[in-house]
Amino acid sequence: MKFIVAFAALVAVALAAPQHQDKDAHIVKFDSDNIGVEGYKYGYETSNGIAASEEGQVINAGTDNEAIAVRGEFKYVGDDGVTYTVTYVADENGFQPQGAHIPQPEQ
């Protein structure tokens, strides 16, 4: 009998838990232009508060040091309801994210 009561309580808790609406999210905005050999640019936004944009371009073209330099940003709503935003640069110095919630090394 105790097992049935405990099992019923467990099922009730599982059914009462908030359901993530991410599975029902859809794209509400998408921009993509200037995609080519020399670089690219895109951005999107979804119905659940996720958004991202990025722009990249080739640097030192035609040399042994040819690379791509990228700048971008993304944001999302955390489980705590707070919108988190991360801006970043990715280049020959690596990936360098910045955000109010990301610890930064002391200089």
Side-chain angles (χ1 to χ4, degrees), residues 51-102:
S53 62
E54 187 174 283
E55 184 174 344
Q57 61 187 132
V58 175
I59 56 173
N60 302 317
T63 70
D64 288 344
N65 295 325
E66 182 174 290
I68 189 160
V70 176
R71 292 189 177 281
E73 173 180 284
F74 63 88
K75 69 176 184 170
Y76 62 94
V77 179
D79 290 338
D80 55 3
V82 175
T83 299
Y84 294 93
T85 302
V86 176
T87 58
Y88 60 89
V89 173
D91 56 18
E92 66 273 7
N93 297 315
F95 181 69
Q96 304 153 51
Q98 293 187 345
H101 63 291
I102 299 175

Side-chain angles (χ1 to χ4, degrees), residues 3-4 20 22 33 37 40-42 48 51-53 63-64 68 72 88 90 98 101-102 105 107:
F3 174 78
I4 294 173
H20 288 283
D22 290 341
D33 55 80
V37 177
Y40 65 91
K41 182 177 181 179
Y42 75 87
N48 60 348
S53 62
T63 70
D64 288 344
I68 189 160
Y88 60 89
Q98 293 187 345
H101 63 291
I102 299 175
Q107 304 219 4

Side-chain angles (χ1 to χ4, degrees), residues 1-53:
M1 181 68 171
K2 289 180 185 178
F3 174 78
I4 294 173
V5 172
F7 182 75
L10 181 62
V11 170
V13 168
L15 292 175
Q19 301 296 314
H20 288 283
Q21 296 181 5
D22 290 341
K23 67 181 177 79
D24 298 323
H26 58 276
I27 296 172
V28 295
K29 182 179 176 184
F30 180 78
D31 293 318
S32 177
D33 55 80
N34 194 24
I35 296 176
V37 177
E38 296 172 0
Y40 65 91
K41 182 177 181 179
Y42 75 87
Y44 66 85
E45 211 173 301
T46 63
S47 60
N48 60 348
I50 295 172
S53 62

